[in-house]
Amino acid sequence: MLFSLPVVAFGAALRLLLAPPLTPSVPPVPAVVSGHLDHAPAGDSVRLEYAGHYGPKATKAKLGPDGTFSVALENLKGGTPAEFSYAGQRTGLYLSPGDRLQLALDFPRFDETLRYTGRGADANNYLAQSLWKFEYGPAGTPPRPELTPTTTAGDLRRVADAFRHQRQAFLAAYAKAHPLPADFQRNAALDIDLQWAITLLEYPGYRRYVAKQAAALPADYYGFLSQLPLKKFDQYLSADRGLAGNTNVMRFLNGYGSRLVPTGALSTDPAEAGRLYARATADFGPTAARDRAVFQLLSFAVGDNLPGVLAAYPTFRTQNRDSVMARDLRVLLQKQLLISPGRLAPAFTLRDHEGKAVALQDLRGQVVYLDFWGTWCRPCMEEMPASRELRKQFAGREVVFVYVAMGDKAEKWQQVLAAERLTGPGSVHLRDQEQKTGVDYQVFRYPTYFLIGRDGRIVTGNAPRPSNAAAAAAAIETALKQ
């Protein structure tokens, strides 16, 4: 026993001596993005956002008086999607350790003139040229897929297929002429496929909500999903794909709800949820992507199809394997039940366009038609002319139209109120830049309309839109009689 310690110490020393010399830790070489913005507005900062080791990161630098800037990104793990932004304009980047990327553009023609030189330029010039050619530049041949009230499923499929083929051909030709990182090229090809599929998935919802008609779909309409690597989709649920890539993945999973429920209305038959899961499992397999797709469907339906979500919830709890999503859906349901018909509407106090504090409590005794909207929301703005007409119809009666602008800055909000002549008798215009009211009322899409009775209790959290004038007027009349 007396020799135990020396023997152990000797062995440790021997292993240390025989071990290969330690390689000094060398920090990753930063990627540097610099450049020149012609005719850019002064007073803002260049900002780069990207996926860091522990979550999203951002760095920024002031734009010099001569329009130049330089930003360094430290500790990139490898090829990393990023986003460049300045003064409200933004574009996607792809950066690797050691890149020395120089950017140049004429700010008033941001997307059209965006060009890169230096190490890392090839991938980023593909992003810039593709964006201009296929999204923001003049329409080409074949045209970009666009949904109109007269678009048929067959018409859309033909145009979408041709557009996808054109984008694939552009990527192949560019990659042949310019070396592109393998992971970048795979992601670029996936995004082309996702945007093609998103267009096709969103068609049934467009027909229901915009064209006000059910979509006439061929029996094999969703066959295009077999062209996507759905059973390997879990690898794309990652921050490594950056903001634009993740946006495409989430939009795809959101749109996939039309595959599960083509009518847009969840059944209140609990057995239907089992069939819904079986369909998703056949497409994705028993994967995290399947669970995310079903979660997206149910969470977005909580507001306007609560009975259907409650019927599907037991099956979701059994099938879903993600504890975070299970908790989030449970919380959503609990909050939604608090704003179900007959419950007191959540209290709020906000400032109106004249700076006066207005509380919902102040409006007791009147029927409140509550409109959650934003100046940035095109469908919201399209509803405003019909909303003015609806106000006129109930002028002088015990009805008040309350508009809560969500996320708007004061100056823009005031400008739109004045330019569009949105204020007037029977209306109250409020602003919630922090969007806390939307959380209390579980607002997930815009516009959203609530009808609140004279007693302050919710009549419905899914009131008819002003453009559905007859239904909206009938709902208000019914509330006035209660």
Side-chain angles (χ1 to χ4, degrees):
M1 294 299 292
L2 293 174
F3 295 96
S4 296
L5 182 58
V7 170
V8 172
F10 175 79
L14 183 62
R15 288 193 298 273
L16 182 61
L17 288 171
L18 295 177
L22 293 174
T23 303
S25 177
V26 178
V29 179
V32 177
V33 182
S34 59
H36 187 273
L37 310 184
D38 287 337
H39 307 113
D44 209 338
S45 294
V46 167
R47 183 178 176 89
L48 285 178
E49 298 177 67
Y50 59 104
H53 187 68
Y54 296 105
K57 297 185 68 175
T59 185
K60 62 182 180 180
K62 278 289 185 183
L63 189 71
D66 58 350
T68 61
F69 71 92
S70 182
V71 183
L73 278 69
E74 308 282 351
N75 301 319
L76 294 182
K77 296 179 292 183
T80 302
E83 186 174 77
F84 170 94
S85 62
Y86 182 81
Q89 291 279 20
R90 59 187 63 241
T91 192
L93 296 176
Y94 179 85
L95 300 170
S96 298
D99 278 354
R100 293 295 183 268
L101 190 65
Q102 288 95 46
L103 176 157
L105 58 81
D106 182 18
F107 197 82
R109 298 184 300 144
F110 190 100
D111 296 300
E112 180 183 3
T113 60
L114 181 59
R115 295 292 181 272
Y116 301 95
T117 55
R119 178 174 170 177
D122 286 334
N124 288 288
N125 276 322
Y126 168 79
L127 291 174
Q129 292 176 31
S130 178
L131 195 69
W132 177 251
K133 182 177 179 66
F134 296 108
E135 295 190 42
Y136 297 133
T141 305
R144 299 177 185 122
E146 292 186 2
L147 297 176
T148 72
T150 59
T151 302
T152 67
D155 292 339
L156 179 64
R157 181 64 191 268
R158 283 188 292 274
V159 174
D161 285 356
F163 193 67
R164 176 197 186 203
H165 177 73
Q166 187 183 53
R167 296 195 68 175
Q168 291 171 328
F170 178 77
L171 173 60
Y174 190 97
K176 186 175 182 180
H178 308 275
L180 294 175
D183 64 326
F184 173 87
Q185 192 168 341
R186 282 194 300 270
N187 275 333
L190 175 66
D191 284 331
I192 290 171
D193 286 343
L194 287 176
Q195 291 174 21
W196 164 74
I198 288 166
T199 299
L200 299 175
L201 286 171
E202 291 180 345
Y203 175 71
Y206 172 86
R207 295 293 299 179
R208 287 195 305 273
Y209 291 111
V210 179
K212 303 291 192 299
Q213 300 173 12
L217 302 178
D220 62 347
Y221 181 79
Y222 291 101
F224 67 87
L225 292 171
S226 64
Q227 299 183 43
L228 299 171
L230 297 187
K231 288 184 170 61
K232 299 179 180 179
F233 219 66
D234 282 3
Q235 63 187 296
Y236 307 123
L237 299 174
S238 165
D240 292 342
R241 279 179 44 79
L243 179 61
N246 282 329
T247 297
N248 284 334
V249 169
M250 294 309 295
R251 282 188 62 199
F252 173 85
L253 292 176
N254 291 345
Y256 179 79
S258 73
R259 154 72 160 163
L260 297 177
V261 187
T263 63
L266 284 167
S267 171
T268 55
D269 177 4
E272 182 60 28
R275 292 188 284 271
L276 179 151
Y277 254 101
R279 189 175 301 124
T281 303
D283 287 338
F284 287 97
T287 61
R290 177 206 65 174
D291 293 339
R292 170 62 66 177
V294 176
F295 170 78
Q296 294 296 104
L297 170 68
L298 298 181
S299 62
F300 277 98
V302 163
D304 55 12
N305 202 337
L306 182 60
V309 178
L310 290 172
Y313 183 64
T315 301
F316 173 81
R317 288 187 60 189
T318 301
Q319 299 282 346
N320 168 66
R321 298 166 302 165
D322 188 304
S323 60
V324 174
M325 286 191 288
R327 179 203 63 200
D328 288 348
L329 185 58
R330 183 179 70 253
V331 170
L332 285 174
L333 284 169
Q334 290 169 344
K335 290 184 176 180
Q336 189 65 38
L337 289 170
L338 291 176
I339 56 168
S340 56
R343 303 296 294 261
L344 280 174
F348 61 80
T349 301
L350 297 167
R351 298 273 175 188
D352 69 8
H353 66 292
E354 295 178 341
K356 177 185 174 184
V358 177
L360 181 63
Q361 173 70 29
D362 300 337
L363 306 175
R364 286 284 178 91
Q366 301 178 84
V367 170
V368 176
Y369 186 84
L370 181 58
D371 179 347
F372 289 100
W373 72 295
T375 63
W376 41 265
C377 166
R378 181 177 173 182
C380 303
M381 297 302 301
E382 290 174 346
E383 289 288 335
M384 287 302 178
S387 188
R388 277 197 300 266
E389 293 303 312
L390 193 60
R391 287 206 318 255
K392 290 178 184 177
Q393 187 173 344
F394 288 92
R397 302 180 67 183
E398 294 176 320
V399 180
V400 59
F401 290 77
V402 178
Y403 303 84
V404 181
M406 306 295 287
D408 270 307
K409 293 183 177 180
E411 183 178 359
K412 175 68 179 298
W413 177 57
Q414 293 281 11
Q415 288 174 349
V416 171
L417 292 182
E420 301 295 330
R421 296 178 290 109
L422 299 183
T423 61
S427 69
V428 176
H429 285 270
L430 308 173
R431 185 175 68 93
D432 184 357
Q433 188 169 348
E434 303 301 322
Q435 305 186 54
K436 293 179 180 178
T437 315
V439 173
D440 290 341
Y441 280 80
Q442 293 292 281
V443 177
F444 299 110
R445 56 174 172 251
Y446 297 90
T448 289
Y449 302 92
F450 276 75
L451 200 56
I452 300 172
R454 302 172 193 267
D455 58 359
R457 295 185 180 276
I458 293 171
V459 175
T460 177
N462 189 26
R465 292 187 174 199
S467 57
N468 189 358
I476 294 173
E477 289 287 1
T478 299
L480 282 168
K481 296 173 183 176
Q482 293 177 351

